[in-house]
Amino acid sequence: MKRRNFLKKVSIATATLPAITMSACNSAPKSEFPPKKTQLPRRRGFNLLNMFLPIGNTFKGSGNYGLGPFQEEDFEIIKSWGFDFIRLPLCYWCWSDEHDWFRLDEKALKQVDQAVEWGRQYGIHININFHRAPGYCVNPDPIIKPQTHLFRDEAPLEAFCYHWAHFAERYKSYSNNEVSFDLINEPPSRMRDGYVKAMRAGIKAIRDVDPKRLICVDGFNYGKESLNEFANVENFYQSARGYTPAEITHFRAIWMPPHIRDFPAEHLKWPLNYKGIKYDKQYLRDMYKKNWDEWEKLGGSVHVGEMGCHNHTPAPVMQAWLKDLLDVYKERNWGWACWRLRGALGVIDSNRPGAKYENFRGAKLDREMLEILKQG
């Protein structure tokens, strides 16, 4: 779709949303909440980070395709373990240009095509997410300082809608069982009105091309809190997060603030008692109840797009926390996606202290963590 044609179809100023019924999705088990406007299967799986960032520490233009092409083996492994969900957090710099938002690199986009097709082949739902979009990323680049903001300015919002309209056209032949869209990763704890406006515009841009596409938006405040403003939208759900408490999940993570990064190792255990607060399974229950019950009582559906624990947290602590977290998700009938399959928060080659690894296809598999995930 050319830019001039796109601008004729999409009005960013007014993003009204049609009422649409969801097609081709299995019904989820009953819960204590009212019937959902959009029934979601309880899908579980992993994030694959192959196009999470361009190669290198700074942007060098399109043609730098992140961590490398998606690998069919990852899809086969995930399916063989019994999981059915893959989230693809994508950086638009992989197929576009910070200085020319309307330029699309077909070579890079074909890598996304391949991932989507492998999802269809292996019976795995593919959730396409923009981790970085024009005007916003939860992880600011240390070199590139955008002059505009997606949740404030019209120029990046126009480009954001243009990209999503292109993806809608590209994957309109896939059913909602096969593909869904997650518009932008983790909005901040401010600019709520601007975020809601941008997401409504993105939804409209997609629905103008593919009226029945299954869409989700991340909860407000980095995915922690529901946005009840979207209660009237069908074929829709919200994406929550599983990174609480950060003292456990992001222990020694270099990108975190000092009070998390330098949390005293002697206090690192689960349940965690720290500064007068007891973090345990009940704490997690109460947190999700506070932040998400109202949304579900309005008929809204929830999936946890990211959850996990950084590899500096020793295996016994991670395992105890993870069991409780997954128990809470099971109680609420929520699906989830572990951040990631391979690497620091994953089950393969995580290099976690105290983990018992076994050889697996030339890599190191944390079997105990995998079994906890499978039971969850």
Side-chain angles (χ1 to χ4, degrees):
M1 182 185 294
K2 299 297 184 181
R3 180 186 181 187
R4 61 180 177 272
N5 295 330
F6 169 78
L7 293 176
K8 293 178 182 178
K9 292 174 69 82
V10 177
S11 172
I12 293 175
T14 59
T16 58
L17 300 172
I20 303 162
T21 58
M22 181 178 175
S23 64
C25 263
N26 299 323
S27 295
K30 294 181 180 179
S31 73
E32 63 181 286
F33 297 100
K36 303 304 179 189
K37 295 178 181 177
T38 301
Q39 294 288 345
L40 289 180
R42 188 170 178 262
R43 296 187 176 107
R44 287 146 289 175
F46 297 87
N47 285 256
L48 295 182
L49 275 61
N50 300 65
M51 295 179 72
F52 172 69
L53 287 172
I55 291 173
N57 295 324
T58 61
F59 176 56
K60 297 180 181 179
S62 62
N64 297 311
Y65 305 134
L67 304 177
F70 294 99
Q71 301 298 314
E72 183 176 3
E73 181 184 39
D74 290 346
F75 294 77
E76 187 272 323
I77 288 171
I78 290 169
K79 180 65 174 181
S80 71
W81 287 342
F83 298 101
D84 60 359
F85 182 92
I86 289 175
R87 182 172 180 262
L88 305 179
L90 306 177
C91 173
Y92 86 101
W93 287 345
C94 293
W95 66 82
S96 189
D97 192 312
E98 179 66 22
H99 307 292
D100 184 1
W101 288 333
F102 293 89
R103 174 173 174 253
L104 303 179
D105 185 335
E106 185 65 18
K107 181 180 177 182
L109 289 170
K110 284 186 179 300
Q111 295 186 35
V112 185
D113 294 346
Q114 181 64 83
V116 170
E117 187 55 34
W118 277 330
R120 171 183 277 177
Q121 178 181 333
Y122 286 97
I124 299 172
H125 182 88
I126 301 298
N127 179 241
I128 298 175
N129 163 253
F130 286 2
H131 185 86
R132 182 183 298 275
Y136 183 73
C137 182
V138 70
N139 307 118
D141 189 272
I143 304 298
I144 301 171
K145 307 296 183 184
Q147 301 302 306
T148 58
H149 200 293
L150 176 59
F151 308 146
R152 183 190 65 220
D153 302 312
E154 293 299 316
L157 183 54
E158 178 185 319
F160 176 76
C161 291
Y162 176 80
H163 283 246
W164 271 121
H166 179 85
F167 273 70
E169 183 67 39
R170 201 171 187 96
Y171 302 116
K172 66 189 302 184
S173 67
Y174 289 81
S175 74
N176 284 334
N177 268 340
E178 296 169 320
V179 173
S180 62
F181 295 155
D182 178 2
L183 299 191
I184 188 68
N185 183 71
E186 295 181 5
S189 57
R190 54 189 178 86
M191 304 181 73
R192 183 184 183 113
D193 290 346
Y195 177 60
V196 171
K197 174 190 173 185
M199 295 306 97
R200 287 191 178 276
I203 293 168
K204 184 179 186 299
I206 292 167
R207 294 276 169 83
D208 280 351
V209 177
D210 187 359
K212 295 186 178 181
R213 177 57 54 199
L214 178 61
I215 297 172
C216 83
V217 301
D218 284 9
F220 194 60
N221 190 14
Y222 308 101
K224 297 175 184 177
E225 304 169 10
S226 65
L227 287 153
N228 299 328
E229 293 93 326
F230 293 100
N232 65 329
V233 184
E234 298 187 26
N235 271 17
F236 179 86
Y237 66 98
Q238 290 194 59
S239 182
R241 289 296 179 269
Y243 295 131
T244 299
E247 289 82 357
I248 296 289
T249 65
H250 286 73
F251 178 70
R252 298 293 185 263
I254 60 174
W255 63 90
M256 297 299 288
H259 72 281
I260 301 297
R261 184 177 65 241
D262 301 329
F263 183 73
E266 62 269 21
H267 294 302
L268 194 67
K269 60 186 66 176
W270 185 262
L272 171 67
N273 289 280
Y274 188 63
K275 291 187 176 180
I277 300 175
K278 183 178 182 180
Y279 298 94
D280 58 5
K281 184 189 289 189
Q282 189 58 47
Y283 180 92
L284 297 175
R285 286 192 185 105
D286 293 342
M287 176 191 70
Y288 287 119
K289 180 179 179 67
K290 175 184 177 182
N291 292 336
W292 293 96
D293 267 16
E294 185 176 354
W295 167 251
E296 293 200 280
K297 288 176 181 177
L298 292 169
S301 295
V302 179
H303 184 276
V304 183
E306 293 182 22
M307 48 76 69
C309 189
H310 194 252
N311 65 348
H312 288 291
T313 301
V317 179
M318 177 275 292
Q319 292 168 4
W321 167 84
L322 184 60
K323 289 176 182 177
D324 280 353
L325 183 76
L326 295 181
D327 281 350
V328 172
Y329 292 163
K330 188 178 292 185
E331 291 167 3
R332 298 191 68 99
N333 194 37
W334 288 358
W336 46 262
C338 182
W339 182 271
R340 47 196 289 185
L341 176 66
R342 301 175 184 269
L345 284 80
V347 295
I348 298 175
D349 290 339
S350 63
N351 295 319
R352 184 183 302 277
K356 299 175 182 178
Y357 292 102
E358 63 180 55
N359 292 327
F360 179 78
R361 304 189 184 197
K364 298 186 302 181
L365 172 65
D366 184 343
R367 173 65 66 177
E368 291 178 308
M369 180 180 176
L370 174 61
E371 292 304 317
I372 292 171
L373 292 172
K374 291 170 72 173
Q375 293 167 15

